[in-house]
Amino acid sequence: GDSVTQMEGPVTLSEEAFLTINCTYTATGYPSLFWYVQYPGEGLQLLLKATKADDKGSNKGFEATYRKETTSFHLEKGSVQVSDSAVYFCALSDHPGGTSYGKLTFGQGTILTVHP
Amino acid sequence: DTAVSQTPKYLVTQMGNDKSIKCEQNLGHDTMYWYKQDSKKFLKIMFSYNNKELIINETVPNRFSPKSPDKAHLNLHINSLELGDSAVYFCASSQEVGSSYEQYFGPGTRLTVT
């Protein structure tokens, strides 16, 4: 079945540091890829997405590029802020015919803490 | 206005009880979901409804029964609660089924079974 693997957390950074959170996937179909963010005590919010190979999703200074050849969708930000402290989830959803069609399959989440 | 709302936000109950969690969305979406987040933050789909019809039913004990009275509501009823049911339950909705459609999540219901 489909699966998503994220780098182990927690990740602790100083403000203005560069962030990378690795994400790789296995899928039976040709999925869309997502990054969701969960701030403390809240539900998940879509951060960015990419629906086909070589697409780059971007939002709020975060970026991720859909790499089909390496089955990866790594999240990056050039300069993190304290307000970026949250749990980040990589996820996929298949097109029709795929195992994850109609649902999100999540990675295990990566806790990010940014210190002033 | 809250797009996806859940009640209650916190639920503490004893083993063996029956409880319900309610979810409502005011986005006019056709598809709704229930996800379970365990203590290690891992999220997994439980159910999905499209236009009130069940389309995804993952390997969930039949003590869990979703009910969709209309497209805007998807409730989750849990019978004979067990300690392992303690988790945060998230409701979500999307315009349609499919990977192109963003899922909007509710704030979650933290269920604690004692």
Side-chain angles (χ1 to χ4, degrees), chain B:
Chain B
D1 274 348
T2 303
V4 182
S5 60
Q6 297 178 228
T7 53
K9 190 169 175 62
Y10 300 97
L11 183 55
V12 182
T13 188
Q14 292 184 327
M15 281 195 305
N17 285 348
D18 303 338
K19 291 293 179 185
S20 292
I21 306 172
K22 295 185 176 182
C23 177
E24 177 181 3
Q25 54 93 5
N26 63 6
L27 298 166
H29 288 168
D30 284 347
T31 308
M32 297 185 72
Y33 312 80
W34 278 109
Y35 288 88
K36 178 180 180 180
Q37 185 175 46
D38 64 22
S39 60
K40 296 183 179 178
K41 300 287 189 185
F42 186 68
L43 275 152
K44 188 170 168 59
I45 184 78
M46 300 174 70
F47 303 103
S48 172
Y49 271 73
N50 187 55
N51 280 318
K52 297 169 49 182
E53 181 182 338
L54 181 67
I55 57 171
I56 291 177
N57 184 349
E58 292 288 288
T59 310
V60 176
N62 57 15
R63 298 183 294 104
F64 290 78
S65 53
K67 286 187 172 51
S68 182
D70 54 59
K71 286 199 310 183
H73 296 85
L74 180 61
N75 303 323
L76 184 65
H77 188 77
I78 316 170
N79 290 327
S80 303
L81 277 154
E82 300 177 357
L83 292 176
D85 298 332
S86 295
V88 181
Y89 292 84
F90 286 100
C91 178
S93 72
S94 63
Q95 185 176 346
E96 296 280 352
V97 178
S99 59
S100 301
Y101 299 100
E102 177 181 351
Q103 293 189 23
Y104 293 79
F105 283 77
T109 296
R110 182 175 293 277
L111 171 65
T112 303
V113 182
T114 62

Side-chain angles (χ1 to χ4, degrees), chain A residues 4 6 19 21 23 32-39 42-50 59-60 62 64 73 75 84-93 103-112, chain B residues 29 33 35 37 41 43 90-96 98-106:
Chain A
V4 178
Q6 293 178 230
L19 169 71
I21 301 178
C23 172
S32 293
L33 302 174
F34 306 83
W35 278 99
Y36 277 82
V37 58
Q38 184 179 24
Y39 297 104
E42 298 184 11
L44 281 77
Q45 304 172 25
L46 178 66
L47 181 59
L48 53 86
K49 71 176 185 181
N59 186 26
K60 300 182 181 179
F62 291 90
F73 193 54
L75 182 68
D84 294 327
S85 298
V87 184
Y88 291 80
F89 293 92
C90 187
L92 68 81
S93 181
K103 64 181 181 182
L104 288 165
T105 295
F106 287 94
Q108 67 269 40
T110 301
I111 299 172
L112 170 66
Chain B
H29 288 168
Y33 312 80
Y35 288 88
Q37 185 175 46
K41 300 287 189 185
L43 275 152
F90 286 100
C91 178
S93 72
S94 63
Q95 185 176 346
E96 296 280 352
S99 59
S100 301
Y101 299 100
E102 177 181 351
Q103 293 189 23
Y104 293 79
F105 283 77

